Amino acid sequence: MITRRDFLKYMTLGSATLLLGCAKKTPIATPTATPTTPTYKAEFVLGYGKDHRLRGGKWGIGFFPKIHVLERLVEYDLKNDDYVPCLAKKWEVEQDGKVLTFELNKGVKFSDGSEFDAKAVKFTVEWLKINHPLGSETFESAEIVDDYTVSITFKDAMFFNLAKMAEFHMSIMSPKSVRPEGDPKGEFVLPIGTGAFKVVDYKEEQYAVYAPNEFWYERFGIKPKFKRFVVRFIKDEDTRVMALKSGEVDAISDYSHGGSDYTPRNQLGLLQREGYKVFKRVIPLTWIIAFNYKKEPFNDVKMREAVDLAVNRDEVVKIFDNQVLPARTLFIEDAPGVKEAGVTYEYNPEKAKQIIDELGCAGIEVNMIVDKAQSDQILVCQLIQQQLKDIGINVNLEILETGAYKQKRDAGEYDMRLYYIGGTDRRFYLRMFWRFHPARKWKAYVSERTGDLCEKILTEFDKEKRKQYLIEFYRAIHEEHGVVPLYFDIMTTVASKNVDISYEDMFHYPNGIPFGEPLFYAVGVREV
Amino acid sequence: MLRYIARRLLQIVPTLLGISIISFSLLYIFPGDPAEFIVEARYAVEPTQEMVKKIRMEMGLDRPMLVQYLDWLSKAVRGDFGKSWTEDKPVMDLILERLPASAQLFFTTFAISIAFAMLLGIISAIYKDRAVDHFCRIFSLLGISIPSFWLGLILIWIFSVQLRLLPAFGYGGIEHLILPVLTWSFSFMAIKTRFVRSCLLEALSQDYVITARAKGLPERIVVLRHALRNALIPIITYFSLSISHLIVGSIMVEVVFSWPGLGSLLVESVFKRDFPVVQALVFISGVLFVIVNLVVDILYAVIDPRIRYGD
């Protein structure tokens, strides 16, 4: 279905083609031999859809500096469901996870040359506890055991505390990031971290300038290929693509944390054909249909099953030019326990229709709510509306202003809605369990069985036992048809032809730890 | 004259009150509980009953609506719109930070649009129903019909992507100003061109113009000195009222060109449900419109004594 915006886009392109039809054609460059040691530009410019909030704010600094300027004590390896050391060398779990004692790496330096030690961790914990919502709900206190050992006491005893320490929000910063220095109640000045880059300049809503943090590069034994890393904030997705094409930026990258500032999926193929380098990574974030499972008709598992069987996921992903993957499992294969659970969501409209007929529900009217601000999701809902009509379910689609949407959602005045589980990065994958946790308000689906399993997954430290619970959990969700997985989302970076970086370097730390977000430490922009 | 000014001043009081009521009510007109918005915007967490209750008390949302309104109004008239729910800054600081960019964009567009609208409008009126008039009318029609974001993208495609002459986005030097101004001016001048044309045509059909022509005055003098001068009064009024566009008139242009002005601030605030900022922008925009209207009315009365009806 063509939306008004799509129509205008095609008109734009059509008109531009007409206008430029008579323009002198740029000669096609003849291929030349690539020099063995390319000369790189001193500056790498990235187009990004969101301000980095380097002066802080209610929710702290932006995700970008959290990822690129700061580091965490531990990192999470989704594939192996394991925690790997980062700033912490090792850790001990005490009191069923209520206390975690971290032994820190020695010789690590902040970008200003000061030493990373237990004081910095204690300061960060206390700062987060006062200034960050996740910090205030997580931490009780932090005690310095010695210069390189710190003990963190959490509010609750659970495995999930370790997972939380791998979240971007828990990134460690220098006590010099605030004024007066080291005061958790002090005024936030600029983030100073141990990560790949340091902040050089910042103009709110316009740009942020970073420089390589020589201590970080030294630690990993690599050398940066640029001296300045400029991030230009370009809100409009089409303008961002055109800024790339005009050469004003060397690359553009997605921001997907609770927003939709990403490169339009239907332009990725086109850009690739034009010679741009498209780096795409499937992320552990699944878009689903969530039911109002507490009231009729979707309190009936058979009704939910019928919807599940009626949704053709291959058609859904066509909306995104097949750039996203259809979800035939609840989560991406990399997630622990998914393969072992052996659960597959199938497409079988005949069976779905038969169920509806058996239930005597042919022609039933249900309503589906969607947030007006999520244009892609409106298209998905319209497609689902068509697919369900084929099995005899008439969906009344309500496209609502964000506030009205939230109000209806919270009041339970809907039958179906789109929702997502998991997160953009592998560490947020664990947050998916909040979506099935009985104590949470914004849940996707909860039953006694899944709620119980959810609680066990969040508290169990034994990896093998946790995996078993996960397998059971995936099976339970499938058997109860709690939600209908639709597609797995992606993160992308599109770079010009003269940008040198491999896929491995873009999505891995120099020590080989895989990373869900794009990393830019290895980028080199060749002189043309 | 003084009585006229006093009466006009009195007349704007209910209008200003109306604007303040509408601005204040935005918080309650939007669906949902304001206390929940604050919790979500401020802490980005699921609002619990305790949190909502605490915020309600902290922000005084549990007081009667009238008390809340009077409190808000008394602060608003002193330029205090409270703190942004998401940015941890006073709303006024946020607005003042963005004002220079908006002013630069608006006044450049305003000057260029008026110059061209006057020129095209006069040409169109003088050469009524001739080729040049048709051209000007089609041009105006296109300006009114073409959406700004579409035109903006077309211009970026041509001047940035294909010709590589101008930057596609950003704020800074004069080169950054060209495309946004061109985009906005196109629609801005379109309506004004038609307005100038119709005002001048009306003036040209008046008896005093026939008299001027009968006296054998050159057509240039007839048009510029006799007709245009008389047509200018509604034109100036109309142009002056455009100043209200300063605050929120350039939303699409600012979004497309990543221009850090007040229009984009309004859009961001609406999406983030940062109501203090939305309320302030709506209120200031409305007040600005009323004040400009008042000044124009008074000037109008100074220029044309017939206006002072009750004097």
Side-chain angles (χ1 to χ4, degrees), chain A residues 8 12 16 20 133 204 234-235 239 245-246 248 403 406-407 441, chain B residues 31 40 43 46 89 98 150 157 162 164 168 256 258 268 273:
Chain A
L8 288 169
T12 308
L20 295 163
E204 207 172 315
I234 312 168
K235 294 266 161 76
T239 309
K245 288 186 171 184
S246 70
E248 286 171 72
K406 285 181 176 177
Q407 196 177 34
K441 184 180 170 190
Chain B
E40 284 175 29
Y43 305 110
E46 301 165 26
K89 273 183 190 173
R98 303 285 192 108
W150 187 83
W157 179 259
Q162 294 300 320
R164 304 217 169 188
V256 168
S258 292
E268 288 157 23
R273 306 178 77 76

PDB file of all heavy atoms in Angstrom, chain A residues 8 12 16 20 133 204 234-235 239 245-246 248 403 406-407 441, chain B residues 31 40 43 46 89 98 150 157 162 164 168 256 258 268 273:
ATOM      1  N   LEU A   8       4.617  10.992  -2.231  1.00  0.00           N
ATOM      2  CA  LEU A   8       5.366  12.244  -2.389  1.00  0.00           C
ATOM      3  C   LEU A   8       6.844  11.973  -2.639  1.00  0.00           C
ATOM      4  O   LEU A   8       7.490  12.672  -3.402  1.00  0.00           O
ATOM      5  CB  LEU A   8       5.181  13.124  -1.146  1.00  0.00           C
ATOM      6  CG  LEU A   8       3.794  13.744  -1.038  1.00  0.00           C
ATOM      7  CD1 LEU A   8       3.587  14.369   0.336  1.00  0.00           C
ATOM      8  CD2 LEU A   8       3.566  14.792  -2.123  1.00  0.00           C
ATOM      9  N   THR A  12       8.931  13.113  -5.732  1.00  0.00           N
ATOM     10  CA  THR A  12      10.179  13.872  -5.589  1.00  0.00           C
ATOM     11  C   THR A  12      11.241  13.312  -6.512  1.00  0.00           C
ATOM     12  O   THR A  12      11.869  14.035  -7.272  1.00  0.00           O
ATOM     13  CB  THR A  12      10.697  13.764  -4.128  1.00  0.00           C
ATOM     14  OG1 THR A  12       9.653  14.112  -3.254  1.00  0.00           O
ATOM     15  CG2 THR A  12      11.895  14.650  -3.892  1.00  0.00           C
ATOM     16  N   ALA A  16      12.747  15.087  -9.757  1.00  0.00           N
ATOM     17  CA  ALA A  16      14.190  15.362  -9.780  1.00  0.00           C
ATOM     18  C   ALA A  16      14.820  14.756 -11.023  1.00  0.00           C
ATOM     19  O   ALA A  16      15.663  15.369 -11.670  1.00  0.00           O
ATOM     20  CB  ALA A  16      14.847  14.796  -8.538  1.00  0.00           C
ATOM     21  N   LEU A  20      16.627  16.887 -13.904  1.00  0.00           N
ATOM     22  CA  LEU A  20      18.049  16.669 -14.148  1.00  0.00           C
ATOM     23  C   LEU A  20      18.320  15.859 -15.405  1.00  0.00           C
ATOM     24  O   LEU A  20      19.445  15.548 -15.729  1.00  0.00           O
ATOM     25  CB  LEU A  20      18.678  15.975 -12.940  1.00  0.00           C
ATOM     26  CG  LEU A  20      18.657  16.845 -11.680  1.00  0.00           C
ATOM     27  CD1 LEU A  20      18.885  16.021 -10.448  1.00  0.00           C
ATOM     28  CD2 LEU A  20      19.678  17.947 -11.808  1.00  0.00           C
ATOM     29  N   PRO A 133      17.208   6.766  36.672  1.00  0.00           N
ATOM     30  CA  PRO A 133      16.107   5.913  37.131  1.00  0.00           C
ATOM     31  C   PRO A 133      16.493   4.453  37.295  1.00  0.00           C
ATOM     32  O   PRO A 133      16.090   3.810  38.265  1.00  0.00           O
ATOM     33  CB  PRO A 133      15.045   6.060  36.043  1.00  0.00           C
ATOM     34  CG  PRO A 133      15.565   6.993  35.036  1.00  0.00           C
ATOM     35  CD  PRO A 133      16.877   7.518  35.474  1.00  0.00           C
ATOM     36  N   GLU A 204      24.749  21.490  21.058  1.00  0.00           N
ATOM     37  CA  GLU A 204      23.469  20.796  21.193  1.00  0.00           C
ATOM     38  C   GLU A 204      22.660  20.848  19.908  1.00  0.00           C
ATOM     39  O   GLU A 204      22.555  21.899  19.282  1.00  0.00           O
ATOM     40  CB  GLU A 204      22.697  21.465  22.327  1.00  0.00           C
ATOM     41  CG  GLU A 204      21.733  20.530  23.008  1.00  0.00           C
ATOM     42  CD  GLU A 204      21.125  21.185  24.243  1.00  0.00           C
ATOM     43  OE1 GLU A 204      21.867  21.791  25.015  1.00  0.00           O
ATOM     44  OE2 GLU A 204      19.901  21.086  24.392  1.00  0.00           O
ATOM     45  N   ILE A 234      21.397  14.924  12.132  1.00  0.00           N
ATOM     46  CA  ILE A 234      20.473  15.198  11.023  1.00  0.00           C
ATOM     47  C   ILE A 234      19.187  14.446  11.320  1.00  0.00           C
ATOM     48  O   ILE A 234      19.136  13.213  11.200  1.00  0.00           O
ATOM     49  CB  ILE A 234      21.063  14.742   9.667  1.00  0.00           C
ATOM     50  CG1 ILE A 234      22.508  15.256   9.514  1.00  0.00           C
ATOM     51  CG2 ILE A 234      20.203  15.215   8.506  1.00  0.00           C
ATOM     52  CD1 ILE A 234      23.268  14.626   8.367  1.00  0.00           C
ATOM     53  N   LYS A 235      18.159  15.159  11.686  1.00  0.00           N
ATOM     54  CA  LYS A 235      16.932  14.523  12.156  1.00  0.00           C
ATOM     55  C   LYS A 235      16.179  13.790  11.049  1.00  0.00           C
ATOM     56  O   LYS A 235      15.708  12.684  11.240  1.00  0.00           O
ATOM     57  CB  LYS A 235      15.996  15.580  12.755  1.00  0.00           C
ATOM     58  CG  LYS A 235      16.537  16.233  14.013  1.00  0.00           C
ATOM     59  CD  LYS A 235      16.013  15.510  15.248  1.00  0.00           C
ATOM     60  CE  LYS A 235      16.854  15.811  16.469  1.00  0.00           C
ATOM     61  NZ  LYS A 235      16.627  17.116  17.046  1.00  0.00           N
ATOM     62  N   THR A 239      16.952  13.450   4.510  1.00  0.00           N
ATOM     63  CA  THR A 239      18.060  14.414   4.436  1.00  0.00           C
ATOM     64  C   THR A 239      19.370  13.717   4.791  1.00  0.00           C
ATOM     65  O   THR A 239      20.412  13.986   4.191  1.00  0.00           O
ATOM     66  CB  THR A 239      17.816  15.592   5.412  1.00  0.00           C
ATOM     67  OG1 THR A 239      16.511  16.104   5.183  1.00  0.00           O
ATOM     68  CG2 THR A 239      18.832  16.698   5.211  1.00  0.00           C
ATOM     69  N   LYS A 245      24.887  11.090   0.223  1.00  0.00           N
ATOM     70  CA  LYS A 245      25.084  11.111  -1.236  1.00  0.00           C
ATOM     71  C   LYS A 245      25.822  12.367  -1.697  1.00  0.00           C
ATOM     72  O   LYS A 245      26.520  12.336  -2.694  1.00  0.00           O
ATOM     73  CB  LYS A 245      23.720  11.018  -1.934  1.00  0.00           C
ATOM     74  CG  LYS A 245      23.090   9.649  -1.816  1.00  0.00           C
ATOM     75  CD  LYS A 245      21.837   9.569  -2.636  1.00  0.00           C
ATOM     76  CE  LYS A 245      21.335   8.136  -2.679  1.00  0.00           C
ATOM     77  NZ  LYS A 245      20.165   7.997  -3.559  1.00  0.00           N
ATOM     78  N   SER A 246      25.632  13.458  -0.972  1.00  0.00           N
ATOM     79  CA  SER A 246      26.309  14.695  -1.375  1.00  0.00           C
ATOM     80  C   SER A 246      27.746  14.734  -0.869  1.00  0.00           C
ATOM     81  O   SER A 246      28.494  15.648  -1.189  1.00  0.00           O
ATOM     82  CB  SER A 246      25.537  15.907  -0.840  1.00  0.00           C
ATOM     83  OG  SER A 246      25.666  15.978   0.559  1.00  0.00           O
ATOM     84  N   GLU A 248      28.663  15.095   2.233  1.00  0.00           N
ATOM     85  CA  GLU A 248      28.841  15.921   3.439  1.00  0.00           C
ATOM     86  C   GLU A 248      29.128  15.071   4.664  1.00  0.00           C
ATOM     87  O   GLU A 248      29.674  15.561   5.644  1.00  0.00           O
ATOM     88  CB  GLU A 248      27.597  16.776   3.676  1.00  0.00           C
ATOM     89  CG  GLU A 248      27.501  17.926   2.704  1.00  0.00           C
ATOM     90  CD  GLU A 248      26.180  18.636   2.799  1.00  0.00           C
ATOM     91  OE1 GLU A 248      25.954  19.330   3.786  1.00  0.00           O
ATOM     92  OE2 GLU A 248      25.355  18.461   1.880  1.00  0.00           O
ATOM     93  N   GLY A 403      -0.442   9.878  22.906  1.00  0.00           N
ATOM     94  CA  GLY A 403      -1.065   9.913  24.230  1.00  0.00           C
ATOM     95  C   GLY A 403      -2.319   9.062  24.284  1.00  0.00           C
ATOM     96  O   GLY A 403      -2.542   8.310  25.240  1.00  0.00           O
ATOM     97  N   LYS A 406      -1.370   5.427  24.307  1.00  0.00           N
ATOM     98  CA  LYS A 406      -0.910   4.960  25.618  1.00  0.00           C
ATOM     99  C   LYS A 406      -2.088   4.817  26.584  1.00  0.00           C
ATOM    100  O   LYS A 406      -2.130   3.893  27.382  1.00  0.00           O
ATOM    101  CB  LYS A 406       0.114   5.943  26.196  1.00  0.00           C
ATOM    102  CG  LYS A 406       1.467   5.834  25.544  1.00  0.00           C
ATOM    103  CD  LYS A 406       2.435   6.799  26.173  1.00  0.00           C
ATOM    104  CE  LYS A 406       3.826   6.629  25.598  1.00  0.00           C
ATOM    105  NZ  LYS A 406       4.767   7.598  26.145  1.00  0.00           N
ATOM    106  N   GLN A 407      -2.998   5.772  26.479  1.00  0.00           N
ATOM    107  CA  GLN A 407      -4.149   5.736  27.375  1.00  0.00           C
ATOM    108  C   GLN A 407      -4.982   4.471  27.140  1.00  0.00           C
ATOM    109  O   GLN A 407      -5.362   3.778  28.080  1.00  0.00           O
ATOM    110  CB  GLN A 407      -5.012   6.975  27.155  1.00  0.00           C
ATOM    111  CG  GLN A 407      -5.993   7.221  28.278  1.00  0.00           C
ATOM    112  CD  GLN A 407      -6.781   8.494  28.057  1.00  0.00           C
ATOM    113  OE1 GLN A 407      -7.089   8.849  26.925  1.00  0.00           O
ATOM    114  NE2 GLN A 407      -7.123   9.181  29.123  1.00  0.00           N
ATOM    115  N   LYS A 441       4.178  -3.378  34.459  1.00  0.00           N
ATOM    116  CA  LYS A 441       2.924  -2.850  33.918  1.00  0.00           C
ATOM    117  C   LYS A 441       2.830  -3.045  32.396  1.00  0.00           C
ATOM    118  O   LYS A 441       1.819  -3.459  31.873  1.00  0.00           O
ATOM    119  CB  LYS A 441       2.852  -1.358  34.260  1.00  0.00           C
ATOM    120  CG  LYS A 441       1.564  -0.689  33.855  1.00  0.00           C
ATOM    121  CD  LYS A 441       1.604   0.771  34.244  1.00  0.00           C
ATOM    122  CE  LYS A 441       0.441   1.517  33.642  1.00  0.00           C
ATOM    123  NZ  LYS A 441       0.613   2.958  33.814  1.00  0.00           N
TER     124      LYS A 441
ATOM    125  N   PRO B  31      -4.899  13.275  25.658  1.00  0.00           N
ATOM    126  CA  PRO B  31      -5.355  12.126  26.451  1.00  0.00           C
ATOM    127  C   PRO B  31      -4.258  11.628  27.399  1.00  0.00           C
ATOM    128  O   PRO B  31      -3.087  11.701  27.069  1.00  0.00           O
ATOM    129  CB  PRO B  31      -5.647  11.054  25.394  1.00  0.00           C
ATOM    130  CG  PRO B  31      -5.661  11.754  24.091  1.00  0.00           C
ATOM    131  CD  PRO B  31      -4.846  12.981  24.235  1.00  0.00           C
ATOM    132  N   GLU B  40       6.951   9.435  33.039  1.00  0.00           N
ATOM    133  CA  GLU B  40       7.542   8.811  31.853  1.00  0.00           C
ATOM    134  C   GLU B  40       8.619   9.695  31.244  1.00  0.00           C
ATOM    135  O   GLU B  40       9.689   9.230  30.872  1.00  0.00           O
ATOM    136  CB  GLU B  40       6.465   8.518  30.812  1.00  0.00           C
ATOM    137  CG  GLU B  40       5.632   7.310  31.163  1.00  0.00           C
ATOM    138  CD  GLU B  40       4.484   7.096  30.194  1.00  0.00           C
ATOM    139  OE1 GLU B  40       4.610   7.471  29.026  1.00  0.00           O
ATOM    140  OE2 GLU B  40       3.436   6.570  30.619  1.00  0.00           O
ATOM    141  N   TYR B  43      11.579  10.161  34.147  1.00  0.00           N
ATOM    142  CA  TYR B  43      12.342   8.990  34.598  1.00  0.00           C
ATOM    143  C   TYR B  43      12.382   7.854  33.583  1.00  0.00           C
ATOM    144  O   TYR B  43      13.109   6.890  33.786  1.00  0.00           O
ATOM    145  CB  TYR B  43      11.761   8.459  35.914  1.00  0.00           C
ATOM    146  CG  TYR B  43      11.686   9.514  36.988  1.00  0.00           C
ATOM    147  CD1 TYR B  43      10.466  10.024  37.416  1.00  0.00           C
ATOM    148  CD2 TYR B  43      12.853  10.024  37.551  1.00  0.00           C
ATOM    149  CE1 TYR B  43      10.404  11.009  38.400  1.00  0.00           C
ATOM    150  CE2 TYR B  43      12.806  11.005  38.523  1.00  0.00           C
ATOM    151  CZ  TYR B  43      11.573  11.494  38.947  1.00  0.00           C
ATOM    152  OH  TYR B  43      11.523  12.473  39.902  1.00  0.00           O
ATOM    153  N   GLU B  46       8.151   2.861  33.938  1.00  0.00           N
ATOM    154  CA  GLU B  46       6.718   2.630  34.063  1.00  0.00           C
ATOM    155  C   GLU B  46       6.196   3.364  35.285  1.00  0.00           C
ATOM    156  O   GLU B  46       6.719   3.153  36.389  1.00  0.00           O
ATOM    157  CB  GLU B  46       6.448   1.137  34.218  1.00  0.00           C
ATOM    158  CG  GLU B  46       6.947   0.310  33.067  1.00  0.00           C
ATOM    159  CD  GLU B  46       7.001  -1.163  33.409  1.00  0.00           C
ATOM    160  OE1 GLU B  46       6.239  -1.592  34.288  1.00  0.00           O
ATOM    161  OE2 GLU B  46       7.794  -1.873  32.796  1.00  0.00           O
ATOM    162  N   LYS B  89      16.166  21.792  32.238  1.00  0.00           N
ATOM    163  CA  LYS B  89      16.534  23.198  32.045  1.00  0.00           C
ATOM    164  C   LYS B  89      15.273  24.025  32.109  1.00  0.00           C
ATOM    165  O   LYS B  89      14.198  23.531  31.739  1.00  0.00           O
ATOM    166  CB  LYS B  89      17.085  23.389  30.632  1.00  0.00           C
ATOM    167  CG  LYS B  89      18.523  23.151  30.437  1.00  0.00           C
ATOM    168  CD  LYS B  89      18.838  23.485  28.992  1.00  0.00           C
ATOM    169  CE  LYS B  89      20.228  23.049  28.635  1.00  0.00           C
ATOM    170  NZ  LYS B  89      20.478  23.210  27.213  1.00  0.00           N
ATOM    171  N   ARG B  98      17.170  28.625  21.124  1.00  0.00           N
ATOM    172  CA  ARG B  98      16.759  28.353  19.740  1.00  0.00           C
ATOM    173  C   ARG B  98      16.319  29.615  18.990  1.00  0.00           C
ATOM    174  O   ARG B  98      16.183  29.569  17.767  1.00  0.00           O
ATOM    175  CB  ARG B  98      15.586  27.363  19.732  1.00  0.00           C
ATOM    176  CG  ARG B  98      15.838  26.046  20.424  1.00  0.00           C
ATOM    177  CD  ARG B  98      16.717  25.151  19.574  1.00  0.00           C
ATOM    178  NE  ARG B  98      16.727  23.801  20.105  1.00  0.00           N
ATOM    179  CZ  ARG B  98      16.125  22.772  19.524  1.00  0.00           C
ATOM    180  NH1 ARG B  98      15.457  22.934  18.419  1.00  0.00           N
ATOM    181  NH2 ARG B  98      16.200  21.568  20.064  1.00  0.00           N
ATOM    182  N   TRP B 150       8.624  18.559   0.758  1.00  0.00           N
ATOM    183  CA  TRP B 150       8.849  18.001  -0.578  1.00  0.00           C
ATOM    184  C   TRP B 150       9.783  18.899  -1.375  1.00  0.00           C
ATOM    185  O   TRP B 150      10.754  18.443  -1.978  1.00  0.00           O
ATOM    186  CB  TRP B 150       7.495  17.846  -1.271  1.00  0.00           C
ATOM    187  CG  TRP B 150       7.542  17.146  -2.588  1.00  0.00           C
ATOM    188  CD1 TRP B 150       7.558  15.806  -2.812  1.00  0.00           C
ATOM    189  CD2 TRP B 150       7.574  17.766  -3.875  1.00  0.00           C
ATOM    190  NE1 TRP B 150       7.588  15.555  -4.164  1.00  0.00           N
ATOM    191  CE2 TRP B 150       7.609  16.735  -4.829  1.00  0.00           C
ATOM    192  CE3 TRP B 150       7.587  19.094  -4.307  1.00  0.00           C
ATOM    193  CZ2 TRP B 150       7.647  16.983  -6.200  1.00  0.00           C
ATOM    194  CZ3 TRP B 150       7.622  19.342  -5.671  1.00  0.00           C
ATOM    195  CH2 TRP B 150       7.650  18.302  -6.605  1.00  0.00           C
ATOM    196  N   TRP B 157      18.268  17.643  -3.267  1.00  0.00           N
ATOM    197  CA  TRP B 157      18.668  16.696  -4.314  1.00  0.00           C
ATOM    198  C   TRP B 157      19.404  17.422  -5.444  1.00  0.00           C
ATOM    199  O   TRP B 157      20.446  16.970  -5.916  1.00  0.00           O
ATOM    200  CB  TRP B 157      17.405  15.999  -4.852  1.00  0.00           C
ATOM    201  CG  TRP B 157      17.682  15.030  -5.954  1.00  0.00           C
ATOM    202  CD1 TRP B 157      17.522  15.213  -7.282  1.00  0.00           C
ATOM    203  CD2 TRP B 157      18.203  13.702  -5.821  1.00  0.00           C
ATOM    204  NE1 TRP B 157      17.902  14.110  -7.986  1.00  0.00           N
ATOM    205  CE2 TRP B 157      18.323  13.167  -7.111  1.00  0.00           C
ATOM    206  CE3 TRP B 157      18.570  12.939  -4.722  1.00  0.00           C
ATOM    207  CZ2 TRP B 157      18.800  11.889  -7.351  1.00  0.00           C
ATOM    208  CZ3 TRP B 157      19.048  11.644  -4.956  1.00  0.00           C
ATOM    209  CH2 TRP B 157      19.147  11.142  -6.250  1.00  0.00           C
ATOM    210  N   GLN B 162      23.292  16.588  -6.522  1.00  0.00           N
ATOM    211  CA  GLN B 162      23.710  16.600  -7.923  1.00  0.00           C
ATOM    212  C   GLN B 162      24.770  17.657  -8.223  1.00  0.00           C
ATOM    213  O   GLN B 162      25.790  17.359  -8.813  1.00  0.00           O
ATOM    214  CB  GLN B 162      22.486  16.809  -8.820  1.00  0.00           C
ATOM    215  CG  GLN B 162      21.485  15.661  -8.783  1.00  0.00           C
ATOM    216  CD  GLN B 162      22.081  14.338  -9.221  1.00  0.00           C
ATOM    217  OE1 GLN B 162      22.870  14.290 -10.167  1.00  0.00           O
ATOM    218  NE2 GLN B 162      21.738  13.261  -8.544  1.00  0.00           N
ATOM    219  N   ARG B 164      26.254  19.699  -5.945  1.00  0.00           N
ATOM    220  CA  ARG B 164      27.214  19.835  -4.837  1.00  0.00           C
ATOM    221  C   ARG B 164      27.609  21.297  -4.592  1.00  0.00           C
ATOM    222  O   ARG B 164      28.773  21.621  -4.362  1.00  0.00           O
ATOM    223  CB  ARG B 164      28.461  18.989  -5.086  1.00  0.00           C
ATOM    224  CG  ARG B 164      28.112  17.545  -5.316  1.00  0.00           C
ATOM    225  CD  ARG B 164      29.093  16.609  -4.719  1.00  0.00           C
ATOM    226  NE  ARG B 164      28.544  15.256  -4.751  1.00  0.00           N
ATOM    227  CZ  ARG B 164      29.086  14.217  -4.177  1.00  0.00           C
ATOM    228  NH1 ARG B 164      30.198  14.359  -3.514  1.00  0.00           N
ATOM    229  NH2 ARG B 164      28.536  13.026  -4.235  1.00  0.00           N
ATOM    230  N   ALA B 168      23.477  20.240   2.484  1.00  0.00           N
ATOM    231  CA  ALA B 168      22.136  19.651   2.564  1.00  0.00           C
ATOM    232  C   ALA B 168      21.454  19.947   3.891  1.00  0.00           C
ATOM    233  O   ALA B 168      20.234  19.843   3.995  1.00  0.00           O
ATOM    234  CB  ALA B 168      22.233  18.141   2.374  1.00  0.00           C
ATOM    235  N   VAL B 256      13.487  19.272   7.950  1.00  0.00           N
ATOM    236  CA  VAL B 256      14.174  18.767   6.755  1.00  0.00           C
ATOM    237  C   VAL B 256      15.641  19.200   6.748  1.00  0.00           C
ATOM    238  O   VAL B 256      16.532  18.416   6.427  1.00  0.00           O
ATOM    239  CB  VAL B 256      13.449  19.250   5.469  1.00  0.00           C
ATOM    240  CG1 VAL B 256      14.299  18.980   4.230  1.00  0.00           C
ATOM    241  CG2 VAL B 256      12.112  18.553   5.334  1.00  0.00           C
ATOM    242  N   SER B 258      17.530  20.190   9.311  1.00  0.00           N
ATOM    243  CA  SER B 258      18.168  20.092  10.641  1.00  0.00           C
ATOM    244  C   SER B 258      18.529  21.478  11.162  1.00  0.00           C
ATOM    245  O   SER B 258      19.637  21.715  11.630  1.00  0.00           O
ATOM    246  CB  SER B 258      19.427  19.226  10.587  1.00  0.00           C
ATOM    247  OG  SER B 258      19.094  17.919  10.344  1.00  0.00           O
ATOM    248  N   GLU B 268       9.840  18.346  18.603  1.00  0.00           N
ATOM    249  CA  GLU B 268      10.490  17.425  19.557  1.00  0.00           C
ATOM    250  C   GLU B 268       9.703  17.374  20.871  1.00  0.00           C
ATOM    251  O   GLU B 268       9.501  16.300  21.444  1.00  0.00           O
ATOM    252  CB  GLU B 268      11.912  17.907  19.887  1.00  0.00           C
ATOM    253  CG  GLU B 268      12.904  17.719  18.764  1.00  0.00           C
ATOM    254  CD  GLU B 268      14.094  18.671  18.900  1.00  0.00           C
ATOM    255  OE1 GLU B 268      14.358  19.122  20.027  1.00  0.00           O
ATOM    256  OE2 GLU B 268      14.711  18.974  17.880  1.00  0.00           O
ATOM    257  N   ARG B 273       6.349  14.706  24.611  1.00  0.00           N
ATOM    258  CA  ARG B 273       5.274  15.091  25.527  1.00  0.00           C
ATOM    259  C   ARG B 273       5.822  15.996  26.640  1.00  0.00           C
ATOM    260  O   ARG B 273       5.445  15.852  27.809  1.00  0.00           O
ATOM    261  CB  ARG B 273       4.566  13.849  26.086  1.00  0.00           C
ATOM    262  CG  ARG B 273       4.080  12.935  24.981  1.00  0.00           C
ATOM    263  CD  ARG B 273       3.431  11.694  25.500  1.00  0.00           C
ATOM    264  NE  ARG B 273       2.089  11.976  25.982  1.00  0.00           N
ATOM    265  CZ  ARG B 273       1.042  12.179  25.220  1.00  0.00           C
ATOM    266  NH1 ARG B 273       1.166  12.191  23.917  1.00  0.00           N
ATOM    267  NH2 ARG B 273      -0.140  12.408  25.745  1.00  0.00           N
TER     268      ARG B 273
END
